[in-house]
Amino acid sequence: MPETKIGQFRDLLELASEALRPVMESARALILEIHPDACEVVRLAEKAASYGCGPRKMIDGYAYVMPFRSWVNLGFFQGASLMDPQGLLEGTGAKLRHVKLRTVADTEQPGVRALVEEAYAERKAASR
């Protein structure tokens, strides 16, 4: 199994297209505004940055930022259990769900903030 290379968020930005970098930065800023002391782990082999109450992705983590060709996934590790009244979440996995962000304005939707807030609150409660 290949070793996961840990990096910095700026390293992850370099893997994304120039057009998506502001979207990634906006998603990260939203997460850090809600949870200023979030544990950020950038796994370059996975092309993703995860955010949580500790470094373990699936246990401590609640959200991730992952660039694709035309959008950025703002994903939630326990997304299937999140309330999503605006119907923003996509995916069919047992737990994972994501929101596709194509513009900075997408990250500023109230529903996106609510999802991050709820995901963080759930992980914070679960880690007690």
Side-chain angles (χ1 to χ4, degrees):
M1 175 176 259
E3 186 176 323
T4 299
K5 183 175 179 195
I6 304 298
Q8 301 293 316
F9 194 78
R10 67 179 173 268
D11 301 323
L12 184 61
L13 286 173
E14 291 176 14
L15 298 177
S17 71
E18 189 116 7
L20 290 179
R21 291 175 187 172
V23 179
M24 293 172 63
E25 290 172 324
S26 182
R28 179 180 189 245
L30 173 63
I31 292 167
L32 295 177
E33 180 181 320
I34 291 166
H35 183 191
D37 59 345
C39 180
E40 177 183 69
V41 180
V42 178
R43 293 175 175 85
L44 294 173
E46 297 174 14
K47 295 183 182 169
S50 64
Y51 299 87
C53 299
R56 299 170 300 177
K57 179 171 67 172
M58 297 303 290
I59 296 171
D60 300 326
Y62 57 85
Y64 63 89
V65 173
M66 178 185 282
F68 285 83
R69 182 183 299 258
S70 302
W71 69 85
V72 174
N73 272 5
L74 173 57
F76 301 95
F77 295 112
Q78 304 298 321
S81 65
L82 297 176
M83 294 180 53
D84 181 23
Q86 295 187 6
L88 299 175
L89 291 172
E90 298 182 34
T92 58
K95 294 184 180 185
L96 293 174
R97 295 289 186 277
H98 64 273
V99 176
K100 287 182 181 166
L101 306 172
R102 291 178 171 83
T103 66
V104 170
D106 289 345
T107 68
E108 297 168 349
Q109 297 176 77
V112 171
R113 171 177 281 280
L115 289 168
V116 174
E117 289 172 343
E118 184 183 354
Y120 168 49
E122 185 279 330
R123 260 317 78 182
K124 187 175 173 184
S127 65
R128 288 185 185 164

